Amino acid sequence: MASTGRIVPRMSKSKLREKRGQIVCEAWRILRGDKVYITTGKDKGLTGTVTKVIRDIYNPRVIVEGRNMVWKHVKMEGSKDGGKVRIPAPIQYSNVMLVDPTSGGPVRVKSGFTADGTKVRVSVGKHATGSIIPRPEILKERAKPRNPASIKDTAPEHVSKVTYNPETMVEDFKAFAAKVLGGQSYPKLKYPPLELENLPTASRTGQDQGLLPIAASEALRLRPKAKVAGKREWP
């Protein structure tokens, strides 16, 4: 087969893993605000604070404040001047480790539970002291601000209103059932309901009218007949 001369772009490792379904990370033990130790790269041996965790199961990364700095060309927008700025680039999730709060060394973590049942992170590894790594306080603040209140939001008094009462639920259901079963199956309408329209019964031809409720049969009788073009109506 002759070559067309077309250059096929090479697929990145993350896209290749996504295509094959190879999940790299599922347990996110490093959180925003944690102090981490960089194990490889140009900033190897340095520590920093995580400002963002990119939770991509095929290509997980973290952004560390002041680490892995790169130049970026910024376009001029309005009153902002363009130019070259230094920003932190993402680092692979596997290239950073949490820092033990007691020893200050890089450690791995495992999940544990306190006496009251709270799930915590416990340090394990060579430099670990077995101490609990607390959740960062910054997680109590939202990374993105909430949307401003609008007229479409539900009022707080309606949200806090109690609409479920198990004590009166049985009585309410009995009253509802008595009201439904005590009356006719269908109200007296000009046209029958949709569920009766689609029934493949002989009632459409005028036979076996007893299959339908009285109200629906009356509505079928009063419904005007459709006029067919070219068809003569005999007296």
Side-chain angles (χ1 to χ4, degrees):
M1 182 177 180
S3 175
T4 59
R6 180 186 174 189
I7 300 176
V8 180
R10 186 176 181 179
M11 186 177 296
S12 62
K13 291 184 178 180
S14 59
K15 292 294 183 181
L16 188 60
R17 286 194 294 263
E18 183 177 356
K19 183 178 180 180
R20 295 176 177 176
Q22 299 174 350
I23 298 176
V24 177
C25 182
E26 288 182 309
W28 306 98
R29 306 196 184 276
I30 299 177
L31 307 175
R32 179 170 57 95
D34 280 333
K35 187 177 181 181
V36 294
Y37 177 91
I38 302 175
T39 60
T40 185
K42 62 181 180 180
D43 293 330
K44 178 180 179 180
L46 301 179
T47 59
T49 304
V50 177
T51 59
K52 183 179 180 181
V53 180
I54 303 175
R55 297 195 174 190
D56 186 355
I57 59 176
Y58 303 108
N59 187 23
R61 291 157 293 166
V62 296
I63 296 179
V64 183
E65 183 180 4
R67 300 291 179 249
N68 197 25
M69 302 296 291
V70 296
W71 288 100
K72 182 179 180 181
H73 294 268
V74 180
K75 297 173 64 176
M76 182 178 62
E77 295 182 1
S79 60
K80 293 184 178 180
D81 296 334
K84 294 172 61 178
V85 295
R86 294 269 288 175
I87 62 171
I91 304 174
Q92 286 295 325
Y93 192 86
S94 59
N95 293 345
V96 296
M97 299 179 68
L98 285 172
V99 174
D100 189 281
T102 304
S103 65
V107 294
R108 295 178 290 107
V109 293
K110 68 175 182 179
S111 299
F113 295 90
T114 58
D116 58 351
T118 305
K119 188 176 181 179
V120 294
R121 299 177 297 173
V122 182
S123 63
V124 293
K126 180 179 179 181
H127 304 283
T129 58
S131 56
I132 295 176
I133 301 177
R135 290 174 60 88
E137 293 292 331
I138 196 175
L139 291 180
K140 297 180 180 179
E141 304 175 2
R142 293 182 60 89
K144 296 182 180 179
R146 290 182 179 274
N147 295 329
S150 65
I151 58 175
K152 295 184 178 180
D153 294 342
T154 307
E157 56 270 15
H158 295 299
V159 175
S160 58
K161 183 180 178 181
V162 179
T163 57
Y164 172 75
N165 189 357
E167 298 179 356
T168 60
M169 184 179 64
V170 178
E171 300 297 332
D172 294 343
F173 178 76
K174 289 181 179 179
F176 173 76
K179 181 179 179 181
V180 172
L181 298 178
Q184 295 181 349
S185 300
Y186 295 94
K188 291 185 177 181
L189 303 175
K190 186 176 181 181
Y191 300 105
L194 292 177
E195 58 267 22
L196 300 180
E197 283 280 340
N198 301 326
L199 280 178
T201 62
S203 301
R204 305 295 293 177
T205 60
Q207 304 175 8
D208 196 8
Q209 293 286 342
L211 291 179
L212 298 179
I214 299 175
S217 302
E218 188 68 15
L220 281 176
R221 188 180 66 82
L222 297 177
R223 184 171 185 174
K225 298 182 179 179
K227 294 183 179 181
V228 181
K231 183 178 181 181
R232 182 179 179 183
E233 297 182 1
W234 297 94

